[in-house]
Every structure is written in C-alpha cells, then in structure tokens.
Amino acid sequence: MRVVVTDAEVTLADVLSLRLAIDEPLEQGTELVLRHRTTGVERDVLLGTPGARAREATLAVSLAPLMLTAGRWDAYLRRDGKRVRLRSIDPGFSLDHLDAYALCKRTLAYRSYRTRNGFLALKIADAEPVAEVRSIWFREGRFEVMGLLAYTGLEDDDARHEARLALHRRQSAARVAGSATVQGVRFHAAVSLVNVLAADSEASGTWEPTLEVEGVPAPLRLGAHLDDVDGKRRRLHYPSAEVDGVPIRPCYTADDDLRIEVGG
C-alpha cells in the first residue's frame, strides 16, 4: 500500500490532522505509530477504516492522551505486524499558524514537520511563557527588539500592559533596566548601550535580557523558538555596534535564547 501525507497540521486543540493520498483504503487494524527518536518509546493509535475512498483519507488524532514527551517523534503506519515510515510532501510550516498556536497557555507545544528525508515527524517541546523575538536592531545608541509574547494566555487585542526590559549579567549580578511597551501580545523594548557599559566595570561580558510584563507572574526570557530554524547560534549572525570602542552584538545560545555580548 502506498501512503503519502499531503497535508499535516497540529490544530490549536493539539489534534494531529492528516490528509493522506492512498492507493487503497486503510484496512481495519491499521495503526499510526509514533516513535521517540532518542529513547525508542512508542505510542500507537488504532485507525480502523477512516473512509471508503481509495485515493484519499483524513485522520484526526488527539495528542494529549498519548502522553508524549519532549523530543522528536517519527511517524509510521503498521498493519499485520509490518510497519513503514510515513512519507510526507507537506513542509508543515506556517508562521501565522505558529503565532496563533502560541497565544494559548500551554505546558507542551506540538508541531508537525517534514524531515530532510521527506518523512512525517512531530517536534514536541516544553512550552513556558517567553518573549518571542522577531526583529533586532541598533539605533541612536540603543539596542531595540520587537516580537510577541508566547504561551502567556494574554489576548491578542489592543490592551496595553505595563512592561520593562531588564538586562542581567550573571557573572557580576549587574542589572540594567530599559523601556518596553506591550499591546496585546506585541512588544517593543529598548535599552541604552551606554548604560550597559556603565553598569559593569569589566569591558567584556554576556548579558541576559528578560521582559517583565504586567499580568505575567515571572519575567520572560527573550528568544526565538517558534520558527523552524534550528541552531541559530551558528546560522544567525547580527552586525555589532561599537560604543566607546567596545563592540556589542546580539547572539543566540544553543537553546535559542537571546544574549547580548559585550567586548571581545
């Protein structure tokens, strides 16, 4: 039996919605198998016969009851003890959908995607409230950043929330405060680079930005987690600014959290 995923999406209700191109109906007893790529743990769902048409089938699988853990899960179809990895021609990426998905407060975030070899897989990550970065630039001696709040449960409306940007240097416990505005779930924040240099006598160091928002119980890390770009520390390189001869540039950690590097 030839089966290809033509459309894959995890809905806002955490339901894996699939459209399949098939050359014959799925037989009774066919199972969808999800296998954790690292641990080998498997979860299976009995599909039965989803429809009578022989060229197309649609499936909807609720993910929450499967108790999937964070990581990458590969998808298979199994029938009569034999299984095949599920091929996909759907790239499985929509930034607008990911933005809408991140408006809800969640503990786990599910995303379907196509692997480099053309197979269906799920990426599951712990979802805690974060400030998702969309734009970064230096202007008039300031570091500025824009983006949206993810997994906070705040409404995407015109309501304004008191907010403040803070930069922390873990090595010396130095702290610098900057301004921020939040409207709905959209934010803009800025901090003076001169103030950053003046806050610590050492010329070199790494600063961790957080966004403090009214109505959100804990400061939000700044980072870029909702897109499909892995390894941003290697792939994204921003130009640096120079203040009093000291270079300052933004970068990402291995976990895609934003940092400000000062000096060499």
Side-chain angles (χ1 to χ4, degrees), residues 40-165:
V41 170
E42 293 186 356
R43 299 286 188 267
D44 55 76
V45 180
L46 185 63
L47 300 180
T49 306
R53 289 189 297 173
R55 296 188 179 276
E56 186 177 84
T58 57
L59 304 176
V61 177
S62 182
L63 297 174
L66 299 181
M67 303 297 290
L68 304 176
T69 55
R72 310 268 178 163
W73 294 74
D74 295 309
Y76 299 82
L77 281 184
R78 182 168 60 199
R79 187 178 65 186
D80 298 330
K82 299 179 181 179
R83 70 180 185 183
V84 293
R85 199 167 174 188
L86 199 50
R87 289 198 169 273
S88 175
I89 60 173
D90 177 25
F93 178 78
S94 165
L95 191 57
D96 289 340
H97 173 76
L98 294 177
D99 286 354
Y101 185 85
L103 291 178
C104 297
K105 196 167 186 178
R106 305 176 185 275
T107 56
L108 284 178
Y110 304 86
R111 181 165 70 86
S112 64
Y113 72 100
R114 184 182 62 189
T115 69
R116 292 181 180 179
N117 295 327
F119 297 102
L120 177 69
L122 293 178
K123 178 183 178 181
I124 303 176
D126 295 322
E128 61 181 37
V130 295
E132 180 73 10
V133 173
R134 288 293 158 81
S135 300
I136 294 173
W137 66 95
F138 294 114
R139 181 169 56 186
E140 298 177 351
R142 297 180 301 175
F143 166 75
E144 299 190 38
V145 57
M146 293 179 60
L148 72 156
L149 309 183
Y151 309 125
T152 62
L154 295 179
E155 297 290 336
D156 187 11
D157 53 23
D158 293 329
R160 290 186 173 271
H161 307 273
E162 294 291 329
R164 180 175 61 174
L165 177 68

Side-chain angles (χ1 to χ4, degrees), residues 230-250:
D230 293 325
K232 294 183 180 67
R233 185 170 183 83
R234 302 188 313 273
R235 298 185 180 186
L236 294 183
H237 301 281
Y238 295 100
S240 63
E242 192 168 290
V243 179
D244 296 334
V246 179
I248 302 176
R249 71 178 185 94

Side-chain angles (χ1 to χ4, degrees), residues 169 171-174 176 195-205 207:
R169 183 157 187 251
Q171 297 92 331
S172 64
V176 178
N195 291 346
V196 172
L197 291 181
D200 199 311
S201 58
E202 297 184 20
S204 299
W207 294 78

